Amino acid sequence: MRHGRRTSRDILALAAGIATGTAAVMASVWQPWQGHAANPRVGDIIAFRGPSAFRTVDDPRMLVRRRGGFACVLDLNAMAASHGSLVIEGLEHQRTSAVHVHWAGTRTSADAGDCGRTADLLLDRTDLDRLRMAARR
């Protein structure tokens, strides 16, 4: 074997090392995001930390249902300004993909649609994912 010349075994070992390293990095980045978005769990908390977090959200408002049936508004900017949080309290798997959450904070909206300082709400998984992504920004 001459110096500087690679054998097919050396190239295969290098390729395997690169593939393993790439897979490890992808798993560490993808797994936490995938687990949270796909599988919410009772006790998960979504915390809002400040108004600058929502610069890139196109429509920061969403209409949701209270557990009693009345609708109210979640405005991501108002929720972030109040530094509030949502806690997942229950999941419905059979009939719907509804998620029971509890809000605690100053307000969810600056207008009459405000859910209040505390509220028990029903969200669908799409809304929950949107809230989670917005809170991470």
Side-chain angles (χ1 to χ4, degrees), residues 2 7 11 14 17 21 24 26 37 43-44 47 63-64 73 76 78 81 95 98-99 113 116 120-121 128-129 133:
R2 290 184 255 183
T7 65
I11 293 171
L14 179 62
M26 292 301 291
D44 284 356
L63 190 64
V64 298
V73 174
L76 301 176
R95 293 180 292 158
V99 180
D120 293 321
L121 307 169
L128 183 68
D129 289 343
M133 293 305 291

Side-chain angles (χ1 to χ4, degrees), residues 83-105:
H83 297 275
S85 62
L86 293 163
V87 177
I88 297 176
E89 294 185 333
L91 306 168
E92 288 185 19
H93 296 288
Q94 282 74 25
R95 293 180 292 158
T96 67
S97 61
V99 180
H100 300 266
V101 300
H102 179 78
W103 159 257

Side-chain angles (χ1 to χ4, degrees), residues 15 23 33 49 60-61 64 72 75 79 91 96-97 102 131-132:
W33 179 84
R49 304 203 193 295
R61 296 170 57 89
V64 298
C72 62
D75 181 324
M79 294 168 72
L91 306 168
T96 67
S97 61
H102 179 78
L131 289 162
R132 284 180 164 181

Side-chain angles (χ1 to χ4, degrees), residues 4 15 25 62 76 80-81 85 116 124:
V25 168
M62 61 181 79
L76 301 176
S85 62
D124 64 28

Side-chain angles (χ1 to χ4, degrees), residues 17-67:
I18 290 171
T20 302
T22 301
V25 168
M26 292 301 291
S28 68
V29 170
W30 176 254
Q31 186 66 28
W33 179 84
Q34 177 68 15
H36 285 290
N39 300 310
R41 292 176 295 200
V42 172
D44 284 356
I45 298 172
I46 302 171
F48 298 92
R49 304 203 193 295
S52 63
F54 304 108
R55 286 186 298 237
T56 59
V57 175
D58 293 334
D59 183 13
R61 296 170 57 89
M62 61 181 79
L63 190 64
V64 298
R65 259 185 349 154
R66 293 177 184 263
R67 285 197 197 166

